[in-house]
Amino acid sequence: MTARPISDVELAGQPAAYWTGVAYEALIAYTRARQAEKGYTQPQFWLLRNLSANDISPDGRGMTLAELQAAMVSYIRPEDDLAAEAEVLVERGWLTRDSENRLWLTEKGEQARVDLARNAPAIRAALHDGIDDADYVTTVKVLQRLIRNAGGMGV
């Protein structure tokens, strides 16, 4: 069954929350599938990034799972199991755990973070295929305005 085309007038009357939700799920699924093809998960990459002094971590210090969960609260998904993901990275030698149960990024983990980050441009390019940068910027600005109009913060 093919969905019938929706006119611009009909689209203008549709709820933004529906379309942003559909877009969010599709973009996350696509991104995670491409990362899985390369042998890692999005939460694993986030762990590496949050523990790297060369990325998100302000100082490169080790963090507990609870601290990492708090640091990722705005983007971690309910189904993401940071404990399990961290164990995989410990087994790979990308993270170590100290006596206080803090996770630390290893040299091997930092190199992995750098290597994995190289996948992001191809994922972005595929998702942005056929979308002019000006249209993308307009879309983001519209979304930011919707967020402000809804009382949201951060934009």
Side-chain angles (χ1 to χ4, degrees), residues 26-102:
L27 295 170
I28 292 295
Y30 181 87
T31 299
R32 288 183 174 210
R34 300 299 76 77
Q35 291 171 327
E37 290 170 358
K38 300 288 186 179
Y40 68 101
T41 68
Q42 193 171 45
Q44 289 169 355
F45 185 54
W46 290 336
L47 285 165
L48 297 174
R49 293 191 67 203
N50 275 275
L51 291 167
S52 174
N54 299 310
D55 203 333
I56 297 174
S57 173
D59 56 15
R61 293 186 46 84
M63 297 172 74
T64 65
L65 282 173
E67 291 168 331
L68 286 159
Q69 183 83 30
M72 297 182 211
V73 72
S74 68
Y75 50 89
I76 197 83
R77 291 176 57 99
E79 68 271 19
D80 293 338
D81 183 346
L82 286 187
E85 300 289 3
E87 280 310 308
V88 171
L89 299 181
V90 169
E91 290 170 13
R92 289 181 183 172
W94 296 0
L95 299 180
T96 59
R97 184 176 284 110
D98 67 19
S99 61
E100 296 176 352
N101 224 18
R102 297 175 82 76

Side-chain angles (χ1 to χ4, degrees), residues 133-149 155:
D133 282 348
D135 288 341
Y136 179 78
V137 169
T138 297
T139 300
V140 172
K141 286 180 178 182
V142 168
L143 291 171
Q144 289 174 330
R145 181 57 186 247
L146 286 167
I147 292 165
R148 283 193 307 274
N149 289 350
V155 289

